[in-house]
Amino acid sequence: MSAAATRVGERLPTLALVGNPNVGKSVMFYNLTGRYVTVSNYPGSTIEVTRGKARVGDTTFEVVDTPGMYSLMPITDEERVARRILLEAEPGVVLHMVDAKNLPRMLPLTVQLLELGLPLVLVLNMMDEADRLGVEIDAAALSRDLGIPVVQTVSIARKGMSALREAIGQVMGAGPPAPPVRHEAAVERAVDEIAPMLPDRFQHLARACALLLLQRDEEIDALVEAEDPDAAATVERVVRGATRHPGKTLSFTVAMARQALVRDLVARHMRLPAERRFTLSDRLGDLTINPITGVPILLLVIYFGLYKFVGVFGAGVLVDLLEKKLFSAHVIPWLDELLRNLLPGESGWRYWTRELFGGQYGVISMGLTYAITIVMPIVSMFFLFFSIMEDSGYFPRLAMLVDRLFKKIGLNGRAVIPVVLGFGCGTMATMVTRIQETRRERVITTFLLALAIPCSAQFGVITGLLAQGEQGVLGLSYVFLAWIAIFFGVFLLAGWLLSRLLEGPPASFYMELPTLRLPRLTNVVIKTVARVKWYFLEVLPLFVVASLLVWIGRLTGLFALLVAGMRQLVTAIGLPPAAGEVFLYGFFRRDLGAAGLYKLNEAGQLDGAQLLVAAVTLTLFMPCVAQFLIMKKERGLRTSLIMAGAIFFIAFGVGGALHLLLSATGIMS
Amino acid sequence: MTHNANGIDEKAEELLEAIWVALELDGLERQPEPPAIQLDRLGDEQLQLEQLLGEQLAETPTPGTVRLTARGREAAENIIRRHRLAERLVVDVFDLHGEEMEPYACRFEHLVHPGLEERICTLLGHPRVCPHDKPIPPGPCCREERHEVGPVVVRLPDLHPGQRGTIAYLYSEDQARLGKLLAMGVLPGAEIELQRRIPTFVFRVGFSQFAVDEQVASAVYVRLES
């Protein structure tokens, strides 16, 4: 690492990458920084911010890849975080990355960034696509008119990097750019009045903050209020005075003034092709959003991505390799022998100490073994699948396909992201409900994730279990299809009822559909690795905790009591008493429950009907400890306890009803 | 100054209008090849003559006279038509008369573009004469005796797939909904094409595609292309 980077006690100048989602920010980030990268949550949020170091000329920068933003007036948490970084970090240089072909739509943000008065470089990225579409941009003229460097790049091919480095050097320390827009007289008067009243630490951004206040920005308002209540009151009066013009809101007036500048710049410096050229990706994109072709494509994606790749390959082939061929055959017997030699005996402290690490439920033999041999391969494959989908731009299309259906359960298409993620890990998905806009949506999604979405470990093991039996379509057994139909039915019905129960405004849906593209290997690997890493750091310790709790429960005899109760319950829904343990352990890890079921089945204790009842009840049953803890953190203890109670009741209710139906009709005997 | 479809500004349009009115006074406006007019009959507006000559809307057969070309005649007739339709609109619909009416009509005639002109004409029932009883040159809509006026501005959900227009304005009771559209760069003046209605509304602005539900789509008001 360079000397400048390691100097102690001196903050490095920040280089902030800013722009819409899907404009190639992350790739540019890696082009600039190379290997020294940290991914962390922005304080107080789940939004991940990636930081790294880059050397440009003689300066070492701390590079920040901000979350995607459309405007300085934030709507989503991502935008709030991105803006906070810009307002608080006082970046040495800001790179506004845009998708060159969509320049007219992205220039308004450039104008807003110029109004912030920070040293700015406009990066016209994805120039290859613009060229292919016949879009021409006079970058030199644009640069002259905006008063900042404008660089053309193709980040994925590392084109234009040296020009970009030069531009960064050029604006570094060059002083703030001139404000690009003169707003309506009333707005300018109000800005001049507000700016000097703002607290000192906003002074370098006074004009931008005044404009935001005029657009009734709550966050800035609260910050001013906190530092100087008198100024806040005066500001409020000025804002109200300026807004009194009939029939208009100021954000509209301000946006229109910017738009007028943008339109002028675009008219003079950008040439669009007379006829829009349709590329292969356009045609493919159309197929994915047309319900006639889109729904079959969706089913194929689920079949190959989720079933074949995560289920059959991850949970089947990989788990088999790791668990059976490696751990069960070599590691566990070796561990058992080692422990037995060290701590012989069938009772007393030696036995319990041995059981803490080894035996059926030990921290190593159960906790770590399951984590590494079952959960890791399945979850990794799922995250790989998820990252590929994410990078290809498919998710927004999926969201628009299901929007109407999701509206029926009080959600909107956007909820498809936490729901799909729930098929990977419900704990992570519950955290991701923060992307939703209303509390009502977050509560509904949290509940449905806990109730009706099997996580990948559970999905994998149950898929393996139910693969036997009479074959239906596509090599899927009827039992498996019945299981899917039941939990999907419960998902819709519970969602519909809950949306009736909880009052609130309808969820509104709006999303940009990015161009479909082949996923980039580097992007996919980076995203997958980051998620698997998160999973190991956050969730793996919980495996150990769960094993410890089981150990304590067994040592104190508390588990014997609980198991006795559970045995009663499972017998009532027609399962063998041994399944009681499966459910109890299932709460400590949902996937452990599924794995227990697997063992029960291997021992020949379940018939076809019992297998289906057990699979359904276990899928609907309480989430694992980790997910419950996250629920409590996100939704509060009271809401989470009510949800847990309802889930318990529904799981056994549906299981019992299914048992009665199957035994009365004799369908599966 | 803005330039209109004929490539001339509003002042030059008024000169064309004045030439046409002079011909009308002589009862010669219907002639296939209208005669030349003495320039001194046209008042101050003759300053714009250069523009008409440049655009080949008029020629000067002898010094001090001006004659409309075939193109010029057609352009003049359109302008007169718009002017008199604007007068009818102001009188019949806005209920303004006499001196009150004239300034509005004058401003209107320059704002009325060809597509809008036909709609106004149909709305007013294809009037034959202006409020001063001067004839209004008939347009294609009069000859076809159209009776139904299509709306000029419609909400995005009322477009059919493939239909295009320009975003006229955004309106919603819900400020947050407007904010979403503004933030995505969906702004008045942008060209918009509705692509799908099912399973949800998909539209294109520039090279970007957006999917929104009916509530969000309803906040977008689109001026249709004629």
Side-chain angles (χ1 to χ4, degrees):
Chain A
M1 213 176 266
S2 68
T6 47
R7 239 181 279 150
V8 185
E10 196 175 313
R11 255 183 64 196
L12 295 173
T14 307
L15 176 70
L17 285 159
V18 182
N20 282 31
N22 305 310
V23 295
K25 277 200 310 294
S26 304
V27 177
M28 183 61 82
F29 176 85
Y30 286 98
N31 284 353
L32 285 169
T33 56
R35 291 170 42 225
Y36 306 103
V37 167
T38 55
V39 180
S40 62
N41 286 351
Y42 190 79
S45 82
T46 48
I47 311 299
E48 279 177 355
V49 177
T50 319
R51 290 169 199 272
K53 289 197 174 63
R55 202 171 161 74
V56 180
D58 296 328
T59 319
T60 303
F61 287 94
E62 186 187 45
V63 188
V64 188
D65 183 12
T66 66
M69 74 189 307
Y70 286 100
S71 147
L72 273 189
M73 290 287 287
I75 293 167
T76 61
D77 280 348
E78 277 91 347
E79 288 179 307
R80 259 181 279 278
V81 167
R83 189 177 83 170
R84 235 172 274 167
I85 293 172
L86 283 179
L87 296 184
E88 284 168 10
E90 293 179 40
V93 177
V94 177
L95 298 186
H96 181 209
M97 303 239 344
V98 302
D99 171 1
K101 66 178 182 298
N102 279 320
L103 185 63
R105 220 164 47 70
M106 301 189 172
L107 267 179
L109 181 59
T110 315
V111 175
Q112 293 178 54
L113 292 168
L114 276 171
E115 281 178 335
L116 271 184
L118 296 169
L120 187 67
V121 176
L122 176 61
V123 184
L124 307 175
N125 195 29
M126 300 157 97
M127 277 310 296
D128 52 339
E129 266 188 54
D131 285 343
R132 205 158 47 235
L133 287 161
V135 174
E136 289 167 37
I137 300 170
D138 186 347
L142 196 58
S143 164
R144 215 169 36 239
D145 282 3
L146 286 170
I148 52 166
V150 177
V151 185
Q152 297 175 300
T153 60
V154 183
S155 63
I156 49 174
R158 289 179 158 267
K159 277 191 190 148
M161 290 306 293
S162 57
L164 178 62
R165 285 168 183 280
E166 209 173 290
I168 293 171
Q170 199 184 323
V171 295
M172 176 69 194
V181 180
R182 273 209 76 74
H183 289 279
E184 227 171 59
V187 173
E188 289 291 345
R189 258 199 315 277
V191 167
D192 289 343
E193 240 179 296
I194 293 170
M197 289 190 287
L198 294 173
D200 286 346
R201 69 186 185 95
F202 295 113
Q203 276 310 318
H204 67 294
L205 301 167
R207 181 179 168 84
C209 287
L211 278 169
L212 287 168
L213 285 166
L214 280 167
Q215 296 171 77
R216 298 223 161 262
D217 185 273
E218 285 167 17
E219 195 176 328
I220 306 283
D221 196 40
L223 285 174
V224 175
E225 174 83 46
E227 291 211 3
D228 189 347
D230 291 340
T234 323
V235 165
E236 174 65 27
R237 217 174 26 251
V238 176
V239 172
R240 229 182 300 142
T243 320
R244 218 180 288 136
H245 293 274
K248 278 188 178 176
T249 60
L250 276 181
S251 46
F252 194 76
T253 316
V254 168
M256 288 314 292
R258 290 177 185 140
Q259 187 64 14
L261 170 66
V262 168
R263 211 174 301 154
D264 177 56
L265 289 172
V266 169
R268 287 188 294 126
H269 306 318
M270 185 171 182
R271 225 181 33 239
L272 298 171
E275 272 300 298
R276 195 182 139 66
R277 295 177 205 168
F278 285 91
T279 59
L280 179 66
S281 130
D282 284 328
R283 285 177 219 286
L284 256 174
D286 284 344
L287 289 180
T288 60
I289 58 173
N290 182 340
I292 298 168
T293 43
V295 172
I297 290 173
L298 164 63
L299 293 176
L300 283 178
V301 167
I302 291 177
Y303 178 75
F304 284 105
L306 217 52
Y307 180 78
K308 282 284 187 191
F309 186 62
V310 180
V312 176
F313 177 69
V317 177
L318 288 185
V319 169
D320 197 55
L321 205 69
L322 279 169
E323 203 233 0
K324 291 226 179 77
K325 304 243 159 68
L326 187 65
F327 268 66
S328 296
H330 303 287
V331 179
I332 300 293
W334 172 83
L335 178 77
D336 264 348
E337 205 182 292
L338 183 77
L339 285 171
R340 275 178 192 283
N341 285 337
L342 283 173
L343 306 155
E346 289 309 314
S347 60
W349 71 270
R350 282 205 175 84
Y351 170 77
W352 285 109
T353 314
R354 199 173 75 218
E355 285 290 291
L356 176 61
F357 298 103
Q360 212 183 338
Y361 302 111
V363 171
I364 299 175
S365 59
M366 179 181 85
L368 288 177
T369 303
Y370 277 135
I372 293 165
T373 65
I374 296 183
V375 180
M376 184 190 74
I378 300 176
V379 167
S380 309
M381 289 307 107
F382 179 84
F383 287 152
L384 185 58
F385 160 72
F386 191 85
S387 304
I388 290 172
M389 290 293 99
E390 192 182 34
D391 204 57
S392 66
Y394 184 66
F395 276 133
R397 291 153 200 283
L398 186 55
M400 71 82 76
L401 271 183
V402 300
D403 182 54
R404 266 177 217 233
L405 180 69
F406 273 32
K407 286 276 163 62
K408 302 261 189 290
I409 57 173
L411 302 174
N412 73 54
R414 219 171 254 266
V416 85
I417 291 168
V419 167
V420 171
L421 198 53
F423 280 97
C425 172
T427 308
M428 191 186 244
T430 305
M431 286 174 66
V432 170
T433 57
R434 289 186 189 177
I435 65 164
Q436 294 177 303
E437 282 171 29
T438 62
R439 178 179 152 80
R440 177 171 177 258
E441 288 169 88
R442 290 192 283 259
V443 167
I444 294 174
T445 313
T446 304
F447 182 74
L448 292 178
L449 282 170
L451 177 69
I453 304 292
C455 70
S456 60
Q458 210 180 18
F459 192 91
V461 176
I462 291 180
T463 302
L465 272 178
L466 301 182
Q468 308 123 348
E470 202 183 330
Q471 302 289 293
V473 281
L474 282 171
L476 304 171
S477 71
Y478 283 119
V479 208
F480 179 71
L481 293 172
W483 172 63
I484 290 190
I486 292 167
F487 79 70
F488 190 60
V490 171
F491 175 82
L492 292 182
L493 194 65
W496 183 76
L497 285 172
L498 195 56
S499 71
R500 292 274 163 299
L501 212 67
L502 298 172
E503 283 183 15
S508 66
F509 175 69
Y510 63 99
M511 243 182 174
E512 186 178 344
L513 302 178
T515 319
L516 269 192
R517 58 172 192 194
L518 271 182
R520 291 270 149 188
L521 187 66
T522 44
N523 272 3
V524 170
V525 169
I526 288 163
K527 285 175 181 169
T528 310
V529 167
R531 291 197 167 102
V532 171
K533 203 168 124 195
W534 171 88
Y535 188 82
F536 262 70
L537 292 178
E538 301 285 318
V539 183
L540 193 95
L542 291 165
F543 279 82
V544 177
V545 173
S547 301
L548 273 174
L549 286 175
V550 173
W551 182 77
I552 294 167
R554 288 175 64 221
L555 185 67
T556 54
L558 189 67
F559 262 41
L561 224 66
L562 287 172
V563 166
M566 288 304 287
R567 278 172 184 245
Q568 296 281 319
L569 262 172
V570 296
T571 326
I573 62 168
L575 298 179
E581 276 171 89
V582 170
F583 280 96
L584 188 63
Y585 294 130
F587 175 67
F588 289 93
R589 281 300 312 169
R590 258 219 279 207
D591 41 273
L592 283 196
L597 202 62
Y598 190 76
K599 290 206 163 139
L600 214 58
N601 183 55
E602 274 192 331
Q605 291 195 35
L606 296 169
D607 64 22
Q610 282 175 324
L611 199 58
L612 181 59
V613 171
V616 165
T617 315
L618 199 69
T619 307
L620 301 179
F621 191 61
M622 290 228 244
C624 66
V625 176
Q627 192 170 340
F628 183 78
L629 291 176
I630 291 289
M631 280 167 71
K632 188 186 130 258
K633 192 172 150 213
E634 298 284 320
R635 301 287 93 84
L637 182 63
R638 192 168 151 267
T639 312
S640 309
L641 282 177
I642 295 172
M643 284 186 185
I647 288 165
F648 191 84
F649 179 77
I650 296 172
F652 282 95
V654 173
L658 186 63
H659 164 62
L660 289 179
L661 181 79
L662 292 176
S663 51
T665 55
I667 291 177
M668 294 191 58
S669 51
Chain B
M1 183 155 275
T2 54
H3 287 246
N4 297 322
N6 299 317
I8 56 175
D9 65 25
E10 289 177 6
K11 282 279 172 208
E13 280 195 342
E14 275 160 23
L15 174 60
L16 265 185
E17 211 175 327
I19 299 172
W20 208 86
V21 171
L23 286 169
E24 193 180 39
L25 279 175
D26 300 344
L28 298 170
E29 86 279 6
R30 297 264 152 231
Q31 293 209 350
E33 283 187 25
I37 295 285
Q38 292 296 317
L39 266 179
D40 50 21
R41 288 176 66 188
L42 301 174
D44 297 345
E45 276 124 2
Q46 57 178 293
L47 290 173
Q48 311 299 324
L49 190 58
E50 290 296 310
Q51 276 195 57
L52 298 193
L53 299 178
E55 293 293 325
Q56 296 183 21
L57 294 165
E59 51 201 15
T60 46
T62 53
T65 65
V66 62
R67 187 166 68 197
L68 293 178
T69 60
R71 242 184 112 218
R73 216 198 105 192
E74 199 178 317
E77 194 175 286
N78 277 330
I79 295 164
I80 290 290
R81 178 172 148 77
R82 290 212 303 269
H83 180 88
R84 292 183 180 165
L85 276 173
E87 287 179 337
R88 273 252 81 96
L89 181 75
V90 172
V91 171
D92 297 350
V93 180
F94 299 164
D95 206 19
L96 293 172
H97 299 273
E99 305 231 316
E100 270 185 322
M101 173 264 276
E102 203 53 47
Y104 288 100
C106 280
R107 302 241 309 265
F108 246 84
E109 73 176 82
H110 300 295
L111 298 175
V112 176
H113 61 81
L116 196 58
E117 158 212 318
E118 296 207 347
R119 288 198 171 95
I120 291 173
C121 186
T122 308
L123 177 79
L124 296 172
H126 307 292
R128 302 287 168 86
V129 291
C130 76
H132 308 100
D133 268 345
K134 299 235 180 87
I136 299 176
C141 62
C142 311
R143 284 174 223 125
E144 291 165 27
E145 292 185 37
R146 280 181 221 154
H147 293 297
E148 284 186 17
V149 198
V152 183
V153 172
V154 298
R155 294 182 316 160
L156 185 60
D158 297 327
L159 258 59
H160 52 76
Q163 207 174 358
R164 286 181 206 189
T166 311
I167 301 175
Y169 58 97
L170 306 171
Y171 175 78
S172 169
E173 298 274 308
D174 183 355
Q175 283 297 312
R177 204 170 279 159
L178 281 188
K180 285 161 198 165
L181 289 164
L182 292 176
M184 292 194 299
V186 178
L187 286 167
E191 241 188 71
I192 188 169
E193 179 189 343
L194 185 73
Q195 298 190 303
R196 304 199 65 83
R197 304 171 51 85
I198 292 170
T200 188
F201 293 89
V202 175
F203 61 87
R204 190 178 280 285
V205 171
F207 286 100
S208 300
Q209 222 178 5
F210 299 93
V212 297
D213 60 23
E214 187 158 4
Q215 286 78 32
V216 177
S218 298
V220 183
Y221 287 76
V222 181
R223 186 182 309 115
L224 295 175
E225 285 177 3
S226 46

